[in-house]
Amino acid sequence: EGIQALKKGAIRLDAMKMLGPNQPKLDTYETQRIISVLDETIVKLELSSLIPCILDSLDRFADMLGPEITSDLIEHQKLSSKVENLLSSSREGEPSSAEEQRESLCLLEQHLKTSVRNILRVLLANPSLCQALPYEVCARQSAAEAFIQAFREFRNFMHERLLTSPLEEKEKIQFIEDISLRIKRNTETLTALKAELAATIQSRDEKIHRKDNVIKDLKTSLQDVANNYKISVLQITQEAEKQQKEELQAWQARRARLQEDIEQLRAQLCVLVLEHRESELALRKKKCKVEMEIEKWIQKYDADMGEKQAEYEELYALYSEEKAQVSLLQEKHEVLIQEYSQIAEERSVRQQKQKQDSEELVTMTIAATRIQAFWRGYLVRSLFKTKRKKKKKGGGK
């Protein structure tokens, strides 16, 4: 498949090179003159096709065209009117000889051609006017536009033929013959494929016909099933209606019983609502009383807490002072410990030499420590007793 695709791409590329437009190389002077003549003819055709539109709106274009071109156009319009009148009279069969009409028509055609040449000559003498007219004038007639387009195609064809050498022309002819042969082969292949397709379609139609018959049989059986279904549905519907009537009677009786129960329950509800309203009123009164008591207790609690807070603040102040004193005593105790450690070190140095002196010194040191501890305890107890007395005196006042 890849090789076939490459071959097709190469064939398509050769076809584009062979049948595509050649490069614009105007080698000879004669070729250039022929192409320039064709281009000038196209320009003249475009301008001459605008003349009928200009004549229809001559007053609008008079200022742009100028007096000379306007007078030529008026003369051309008169000649056109004469030609049209002559043609219409010949169609209507007026009493005049055919030879005279033919001679008059030929003379008017000569004058009309001369008028067109003069108008084109004057227009081509003004290039700016030639460029502005196609934008100002309305669209050309369809016949004129088709003729100009055909002439452009003829010009392009002549241009291509003039640029094609005899060898290239021969190669193109050979290439076209090869393509025709390939088309013929492809046509034969296509015919064979169409015959195969027709046979396949016929086989498919036969299969479809057989399946249609099967479908018809199935539809028939389905219709029988549907009829049986309708009969069974009718029976079920009758039984359902009968059961529905019985259930409706039972439901009506049950509804009557339930209606009586509802009336009794409504009466009970009214009694309960009245009782609950009385109890609700009593409970609301009790709630108001409880709320008032709670408010009193809250006020009392706030007052007690205020007193407790004041007492706590006083105790906290005393605690802060005592804490400061304790920290001071701890500092002194640390100093004493340091002194004791120094003494212990000195004693350990002199232990071997002065064993008895050290024992006495230890005894004295222990005694001094106990005395100091007793003295500190005494001072602390005296201080607490003094503060308690002051607090009791302050509370009494």
Side-chain angles (χ1 to χ4, degrees), residues 370-388:
R370 289 179 179 177
I371 292 169
Q372 288 176 356
F374 178 77
W375 179 249
R376 283 196 299 271
Y378 174 76
L379 290 176
V380 171
R381 285 192 296 274
S382 299
L383 181 64
F384 274 109
K385 287 179 181 180
T386 306
K387 288 182 178 180
R388 286 178 182 176

Side-chain angles (χ1 to χ4, degrees), residues 200-389:
T200 305
I201 291 171
Q202 185 178 1
S203 176
R204 185 201 62 185
D205 293 338
E206 291 176 356
K207 290 180 181 178
I208 290 172
H209 182 66
R210 289 195 297 271
K211 289 182 180 180
D212 288 339
N213 293 330
V214 174
I215 290 169
K216 287 180 181 178
D217 297 336
L218 291 173
K219 284 183 178 179
T220 304
S221 61
L222 184 63
Q223 186 67 31
D224 296 337
V225 171
N227 294 329
N228 296 328
Y229 170 74
K230 287 180 180 178
I231 294 170
S232 62
V233 167
L234 182 61
Q235 293 176 356
I236 292 170
T237 304
Q238 291 175 355
E239 293 177 358
E241 289 177 354
K242 183 178 178 181
Q243 186 177 0
Q244 185 179 6
K245 288 179 181 179
E246 294 175 356
E247 290 179 355
L248 180 61
Q249 292 175 358
W251 177 78
Q252 288 176 351
R254 185 181 178 187
R255 179 183 177 186
R257 290 195 302 272
L258 291 174
Q259 191 70 30
E260 292 177 358
D261 295 340
I262 288 169
E263 294 295 333
Q264 293 177 1
L265 291 173
R266 282 181 179 174
Q268 293 177 4
L269 178 64
C270 293
V271 174
L272 291 173
V273 167
L274 293 174
E275 293 177 356
H276 289 162
R277 283 180 181 174
E278 293 176 358
S279 62
E280 181 183 1
L281 183 61
L283 290 172
R284 285 188 177 181
K285 290 180 180 179
K286 187 177 181 180
K287 179 184 175 183
C288 292
K289 186 177 179 181
V290 170
E291 287 178 351
M292 293 174 66
E293 291 180 356
I294 289 171
E295 186 67 26
K296 290 179 181 179
W297 280 107
I298 288 172
Q299 292 177 359
K300 185 178 179 181
Y301 172 77
D302 291 339
D304 293 341
M305 287 303 295
E307 293 176 359
K308 296 291 182 181
Q309 184 68 28
E311 186 177 356
Y312 169 75
E313 290 177 354
E314 291 178 358
L315 291 173
Y316 185 76
L318 292 172
Y319 170 74
S320 299
E321 292 178 0
E322 291 175 356
K323 187 176 181 181
Q325 291 178 3
V326 168
S327 61
L328 181 62
L329 293 173
Q330 286 178 353
E331 291 177 357
K332 291 181 178 179
H333 182 264
E334 289 177 357
V335 170
L336 291 173
I337 289 172
Q338 290 178 0
E339 291 177 355
Y340 174 75
S341 61
Q342 291 176 0
I343 292 169
E345 288 177 359
E346 292 175 356
R347 183 186 58 189
S348 62
V349 172
R350 296 189 302 269
Q351 187 174 5
Q352 294 178 357
K353 293 181 180 181
Q354 298 177 355
K355 187 175 182 180
Q356 293 178 357
D357 294 339
S358 62
E359 291 178 355
E360 292 178 0
L361 181 60
V362 169
T363 304
M364 292 174 66
T365 303
I366 292 171
T369 303
R370 289 179 179 177
I371 292 169
Q372 288 176 356
F374 178 77
W375 179 249
R376 283 196 299 271
Y378 174 76
L379 290 176
V380 171
R381 285 192 296 274
S382 299
L383 181 64
F384 274 109
K385 287 179 181 180
T386 306
K387 288 182 178 180
R388 286 178 182 176
K389 288 179 181 180

Side-chain angles (χ1 to χ4, degrees), residues 69-86:
I69 301 175
T70 304
S71 61
D72 292 339
L73 288 171
I74 292 171
E75 186 66 25
H76 179 76
Q77 189 176 16
K78 290 178 181 179
L79 291 172
S80 299
S81 300
K82 288 180 181 180
V83 171
E84 290 177 358
N85 292 331
L86 184 60

Side-chain angles (χ1 to χ4, degrees), residues 23-37:
Q23 296 295 327
K25 296 179 181 178
L26 301 178
D27 296 331
T28 61
Y29 181 71
E30 289 79 5
T31 303
Q32 295 177 3
R33 289 196 62 183
I34 292 170
I35 296 301
S36 63
V37 168

Side-chain angles (χ1 to χ4, degrees), residues 115-127:
S115 176
V116 172
R117 290 194 195 96
N118 293 331
I119 293 170
L120 291 175
R121 177 179 53 79
V122 177
L123 287 174
L124 291 171
N126 191 352

